[in-house]
Amino acid sequence: MSRRAVVVGAGLAGMLAAAVLADAGVEEVVVLDRDELPDGPRQRRGLPQGRHAHLLMPGGLTAMEELVPGVSLRKRLLAAGAHEISLSSGMLAHTSEGWLRRWRREGPVMLTCTRALVDWTVRAAVLEHTGVEVRRAAAVGLTGSAGRVRGVRVSGPDGETDLAADLVVDASGRGTRIVSWLEGLGLSGVRTRTVDSGLVNASRVYRVPAGAERFPLTIVQADPYVSRPGRSAMVMPVEGDRWLVSCGGTRGGEPPADPEGFLRYTLDLPDPIVGRLISGAEPLTDVHLSRSTSNVRHYLDKAPHWPEGLVVLGDALGTFNPAYGQGMSVAAFGARVLGRELDRATGLDAPGLARRVLRGAARTVDAAWAMAVGQDVLYPGTRGGGRPGIADRAVTAYTRRMTRAATSSYAAASAIWDVTSMRTPPTRMFHPAAVLAALTGPPLPLLTGPPLTPGEREVLAGLDRTGV
Ligand SMILES: Cc1cc2nc3c(=O)[nH]c(=O)nc-3n(C[C@H](O)[C@H](O)[C@H](O)COP(=O)(O)OP(=O)(O)OC[C@H]3O[C@@H](n4cnc5c(N)ncnc54)[C@H](O)[C@@H]3O)c2cc1C
């Protein structure tokens, strides 16, 4: 392996791709980012989503650890204050079908911390262990031809210059200009699909109240089955003894940015637990809103012609409703595909390399897309989804049954954790024990309130200033 690769974007997809390229022996790996990258876990302009809750699923973390060898990202994140949350026992989750029970048996464990901490930890580890160089610059186009990309056009203080590369990786995230960049090379015909539920996210950071340090992550999920806008809220512990509280609402059910409205929104959910928890907690920030959360898939992998020397990963390939916490893991899976294909290739210029990476990465995007879009199309006012077909309706009915069974069936609950933790593909939902559980339904009556321990009940009562 030899020569130069240029990666556009120093987010997760970009830094993980850079690690993989360096590990494959590429002589020079240059990562461009238009943002000033902070030397610590701090929020930055280029990552507006970083203000909102990000769950790091075990499947994604495992992939990241494989891609950045020699460092335990998990240990570094935990040392910096991240929390380990067991999906089986460490959460209070109110689903569309009611409260899930908590199990003594250990399930998959996810990490919670700020997105800024994940990004900084990964970036620092990659820069420590490789010769990857990060430059502050904005990419504004591609150079080369429709047959082969030869580099990136870069905008800097002295105007535009060309940076030659044997391989370009576009990891510039949701705002990618890849479709128009390809048109600049004379390549058209890329189909883009947008499914927009009008989702708005609103988040605020609180100090964890004294005594509530061990209170479980708490989530009230949206209900897509009732022909009403989806509304959800989550209290997620992050580093620095803080709670990051994020609400999400689809068109017609958007959370507001004013503090009183934010609290009221959480109290009006099917269970008021999030509002009760934060009603007496000290806020540390304003409420921050984000609106750009539609599902967007650029079908680059299906383009009639694809140039050699160009790969697209992470959100630049597809983004989806964040409710399932999949995007960071999908970014890592895409970089893993790049690594596998580089291992098999004779060099960066191996014929067909770029297209093989793109197709492999697209498969991981599609699995996440199906899960997110399958639910989003059910919300009123969703644009671009089309009417669900018979197959969609069958999957929806099955998922709903499975969720209902999971309120008290271990077989059903563990199938759901395995898929949402991104350790196994969605086909796990069709293992015989899971199918049987879905068909049989919940073995126990639905819980009428959250499954709290006596200690947690006391903490909640002590925090509650709402009188609900
Ligand atoms: C509200 C919300 C909540 C989410 N929650 C979760 C969650 O719980 N779990 C989860 O796994 N995922 C979650 N996600 C998804 C996750 O944020 C993304 O999937 C992930 O950030 C994708 O990483 P990326 O590297 O592809 O893009 P990004 O992280 O967006 O990085 C793109 C980078 O490219 C840079 N850039 C852009 N354009 C240029 C250019 N022209 N030149 C140079 N640099 C450029 C930007 O500055 C940025 O650094 C959530 C998303 C949102 C919106």
Side-chain angles (χ1 to χ4, degrees), residues 170-185:
D170 176 20
S172 62
R174 171 178 287 272
T176 180
R177 309 281 299 148
I178 191 66
V179 174
S180 63
W181 289 357
L182 286 167
E183 282 167 2
L185 296 180

PDB file of all heavy atoms in Angstrom, residues 170-185:
ATOM      1  N   ASP A 170     -15.199  10.648   1.360  1.00  0.00           N
ATOM      2  CA  ASP A 170     -16.105  11.699   1.815  1.00  0.00           C
ATOM      3  C   ASP A 170     -16.782  11.220   3.099  1.00  0.00           C
ATOM      4  O   ASP A 170     -17.577  10.284   3.081  1.00  0.00           O
ATOM      5  CB  ASP A 170     -17.166  12.027   0.753  1.00  0.00           C
ATOM      6  CG  ASP A 170     -18.163  13.068   1.277  1.00  0.00           C
ATOM      7  OD1 ASP A 170     -17.826  13.780   2.250  1.00  0.00           O
ATOM      8  OD2 ASP A 170     -19.277  13.161   0.727  1.00  0.00           O
ATOM      9  N   ALA A 171     -16.422  11.847   4.203  1.00  0.00           N
ATOM     10  CA  ALA A 171     -17.054  11.552   5.502  1.00  0.00           C
ATOM     11  C   ALA A 171     -17.530  12.873   6.078  1.00  0.00           C
ATOM     12  O   ALA A 171     -17.343  13.144   7.264  1.00  0.00           O
ATOM     13  CB  ALA A 171     -16.055  10.857   6.420  1.00  0.00           C
ATOM     14  N   SER A 172     -18.125  13.701   5.209  1.00  0.00           N
ATOM     15  CA  SER A 172     -18.478  15.063   5.638  1.00  0.00           C
ATOM     16  C   SER A 172     -19.868  15.141   6.255  1.00  0.00           C
ATOM     17  O   SER A 172     -20.388  16.233   6.491  1.00  0.00           O
ATOM     18  CB  SER A 172     -18.330  16.045   4.480  1.00  0.00           C
ATOM     19  OG  SER A 172     -19.214  15.712   3.436  1.00  0.00           O
ATOM     20  N   GLY A 173     -20.471  13.986   6.504  1.00  0.00           N
ATOM     21  CA  GLY A 173     -21.691  13.970   7.308  1.00  0.00           C
ATOM     22  C   GLY A 173     -22.944  14.319   6.524  1.00  0.00           C
ATOM     23  O   GLY A 173     -22.982  14.341   5.291  1.00  0.00           O
ATOM     24  N   ARG A 174     -23.971  14.620   7.297  1.00  0.00           N
ATOM     25  CA  ARG A 174     -25.315  14.874   6.780  1.00  0.00           C
ATOM     26  C   ARG A 174     -25.342  15.979   5.721  1.00  0.00           C
ATOM     27  O   ARG A 174     -26.134  15.915   4.797  1.00  0.00           O
ATOM     28  CB  ARG A 174     -26.162  15.262   7.997  1.00  0.00           C
ATOM     29  CG  ARG A 174     -27.520  15.776   7.759  1.00  0.00           C
ATOM     30  CD  ARG A 174     -28.177  16.057   9.110  1.00  0.00           C
ATOM     31  NE  ARG A 174     -28.523  14.811   9.779  1.00  0.00           N
ATOM     32  CZ  ARG A 174     -29.674  14.161   9.612  1.00  0.00           C
ATOM     33  NH1 ARG A 174     -30.594  14.653   8.812  1.00  0.00           N
ATOM     34  NH2 ARG A 174     -29.915  13.052  10.256  1.00  0.00           N
ATOM     35  N   GLY A 175     -24.495  16.979   5.846  1.00  0.00           N
ATOM     36  CA  GLY A 175     -24.524  18.108   4.913  1.00  0.00           C
ATOM     37  C   GLY A 175     -23.680  17.885   3.670  1.00  0.00           C
ATOM     38  O   GLY A 175     -23.387  18.839   2.954  1.00  0.00           O
ATOM     39  N   THR A 176     -23.280  16.641   3.399  1.00  0.00           N
ATOM     40  CA  THR A 176     -22.390  16.372   2.257  1.00  0.00           C
ATOM     41  C   THR A 176     -22.890  17.006   0.953  1.00  0.00           C
ATOM     42  O   THR A 176     -24.093  17.051   0.697  1.00  0.00           O
ATOM     43  CB  THR A 176     -22.232  14.846   2.039  1.00  0.00           C
ATOM     44  OG1 THR A 176     -21.357  14.664   0.914  1.00  0.00           O
ATOM     45  CG2 THR A 176     -23.548  14.158   1.736  1.00  0.00           C
ATOM     46  N   ARG A 177     -21.934  17.429   0.110  1.00  0.00           N
ATOM     47  CA  ARG A 177     -22.284  17.976  -1.205  1.00  0.00           C
ATOM     48  C   ARG A 177     -21.927  16.939  -2.281  1.00  0.00           C
ATOM     49  O   ARG A 177     -21.686  17.289  -3.429  1.00  0.00           O
ATOM     50  CB  ARG A 177     -21.489  19.269  -1.453  1.00  0.00           C
ATOM     51  CG  ARG A 177     -21.580  20.285  -0.327  1.00  0.00           C
ATOM     52  CD  ARG A 177     -22.864  21.084  -0.347  1.00  0.00           C
ATOM     53  NE  ARG A 177     -22.954  21.837  -1.587  1.00  0.00           N
ATOM     54  CZ  ARG A 177     -24.087  22.126  -2.210  1.00  0.00           C
ATOM     55  NH1 ARG A 177     -25.234  21.707  -1.708  1.00  0.00           N
ATOM     56  NH2 ARG A 177     -24.096  22.817  -3.321  1.00  0.00           N
ATOM     57  N   ILE A 178     -21.871  15.687  -1.907  1.00  0.00           N
ATOM     58  CA  ILE A 178     -21.324  14.674  -2.813  1.00  0.00           C
ATOM     59  C   ILE A 178     -22.073  14.607  -4.149  1.00  0.00           C
ATOM     60  O   ILE A 178     -21.460  14.417  -5.194  1.00  0.00           O
ATOM     61  CB  ILE A 178     -21.263  13.272  -2.122  1.00  0.00           C
ATOM     62  CG1 ILE A 178     -20.453  12.293  -2.964  1.00  0.00           C
ATOM     63  CG2 ILE A 178     -22.628  12.716  -1.825  1.00  0.00           C
ATOM     64  CD1 ILE A 178     -19.014  12.608  -3.083  1.00  0.00           C
ATOM     65  N   VAL A 179     -23.399  14.776  -4.098  1.00  0.00           N
ATOM     66  CA  VAL A 179     -24.151  14.635  -5.351  1.00  0.00           C
ATOM     67  C   VAL A 179     -23.752  15.749  -6.319  1.00  0.00           C
ATOM     68  O   VAL A 179     -23.490  15.494  -7.501  1.00  0.00           O
ATOM     69  CB  VAL A 179     -25.670  14.603  -5.077  1.00  0.00           C
ATOM     70  CG1 VAL A 179     -26.451  14.607  -6.368  1.00  0.00           C
ATOM     71  CG2 VAL A 179     -26.029  13.361  -4.249  1.00  0.00           C
ATOM     72  N   SER A 180     -23.636  16.983  -5.824  1.00  0.00           N
ATOM     73  CA  SER A 180     -23.249  18.063  -6.754  1.00  0.00           C
ATOM     74  C   SER A 180     -21.763  17.950  -7.102  1.00  0.00           C
ATOM     75  O   SER A 180     -21.368  18.303  -8.215  1.00  0.00           O
ATOM     76  CB  SER A 180     -23.632  19.434  -6.207  1.00  0.00           C
ATOM     77  OG  SER A 180     -22.937  19.685  -5.039  1.00  0.00           O
ATOM     78  N   TRP A 181     -20.929  17.441  -6.213  1.00  0.00           N
ATOM     79  CA  TRP A 181     -19.509  17.246  -6.557  1.00  0.00           C
ATOM     80  C   TRP A 181     -19.385  16.229  -7.709  1.00  0.00           C
ATOM     81  O   TRP A 181     -18.576  16.398  -8.616  1.00  0.00           O
ATOM     82  CB  TRP A 181     -18.724  16.731  -5.356  1.00  0.00           C
ATOM     83  CG  TRP A 181     -18.533  17.754  -4.261  1.00  0.00           C
ATOM     84  CD1 TRP A 181     -18.930  19.062  -4.265  1.00  0.00           C
ATOM     85  CD2 TRP A 181     -17.909  17.530  -2.987  1.00  0.00           C
ATOM     86  NE1 TRP A 181     -18.592  19.670  -3.068  1.00  0.00           N
ATOM     87  CE2 TRP A 181     -17.960  18.763  -2.266  1.00  0.00           C
ATOM     88  CE3 TRP A 181     -17.311  16.434  -2.365  1.00  0.00           C
ATOM     89  CZ2 TRP A 181     -17.435  18.908  -0.981  1.00  0.00           C
ATOM     90  CZ3 TRP A 181     -16.785  16.580  -1.092  1.00  0.00           C
ATOM     91  CH2 TRP A 181     -16.850  17.803  -0.402  1.00  0.00           C
ATOM     92  N   LEU A 182     -20.204  15.179  -7.640  1.00  0.00           N
ATOM     93  CA  LEU A 182     -20.164  14.177  -8.729  1.00  0.00           C
ATOM     94  C   LEU A 182     -20.644  14.808 -10.034  1.00  0.00           C
ATOM     95  O   LEU A 182     -20.075  14.553 -11.103  1.00  0.00           O
ATOM     96  CB  LEU A 182     -21.037  12.973  -8.371  1.00  0.00           C
ATOM     97  CG  LEU A 182     -20.467  12.035  -7.298  1.00  0.00           C
ATOM     98  CD1 LEU A 182     -21.525  11.067  -6.802  1.00  0.00           C
ATOM     99  CD2 LEU A 182     -19.253  11.269  -7.836  1.00  0.00           C
ATOM    100  N   GLU A 183     -21.667  15.645  -9.920  1.00  0.00           N
ATOM    101  CA  GLU A 183     -22.160  16.320 -11.134  1.00  0.00           C
ATOM    102  C   GLU A 183     -21.052  17.175 -11.741  1.00  0.00           C
ATOM    103  O   GLU A 183     -20.907  17.263 -12.957  1.00  0.00           O
ATOM    104  CB  GLU A 183     -23.390  17.181 -10.804  1.00  0.00           C
ATOM    105  CG  GLU A 183     -24.637  16.317 -10.677  1.00  0.00           C
ATOM    106  CD  GLU A 183     -25.834  17.038 -10.043  1.00  0.00           C
ATOM    107  OE1 GLU A 183     -25.725  18.239  -9.720  1.00  0.00           O
ATOM    108  OE2 GLU A 183     -26.853  16.357  -9.850  1.00  0.00           O
ATOM    109  N   GLY A 184     -20.226  17.781 -10.881  1.00  0.00           N
ATOM    110  CA  GLY A 184     -19.091  18.574 -11.352  1.00  0.00           C
ATOM    111  C   GLY A 184     -18.110  17.743 -12.172  1.00  0.00           C
ATOM    112  O   GLY A 184     -17.367  18.272 -12.998  1.00  0.00           O
ATOM    113  N   LEU A 185     -18.102  16.437 -11.940  1.00  0.00           N
ATOM    114  CA  LEU A 185     -17.225  15.546 -12.719  1.00  0.00           C
ATOM    115  C   LEU A 185     -17.964  14.971 -13.926  1.00  0.00           C
ATOM    116  O   LEU A 185     -17.421  14.124 -14.642  1.00  0.00           O
ATOM    117  CB  LEU A 185     -16.742  14.369 -11.856  1.00  0.00           C
ATOM    118  CG  LEU A 185     -15.866  14.689 -10.652  1.00  0.00           C
ATOM    119  CD1 LEU A 185     -15.494  13.402  -9.927  1.00  0.00           C
ATOM    120  CD2 LEU A 185     -14.593  15.412 -11.083  1.00  0.00           C
TER     121      LEU A 185
END
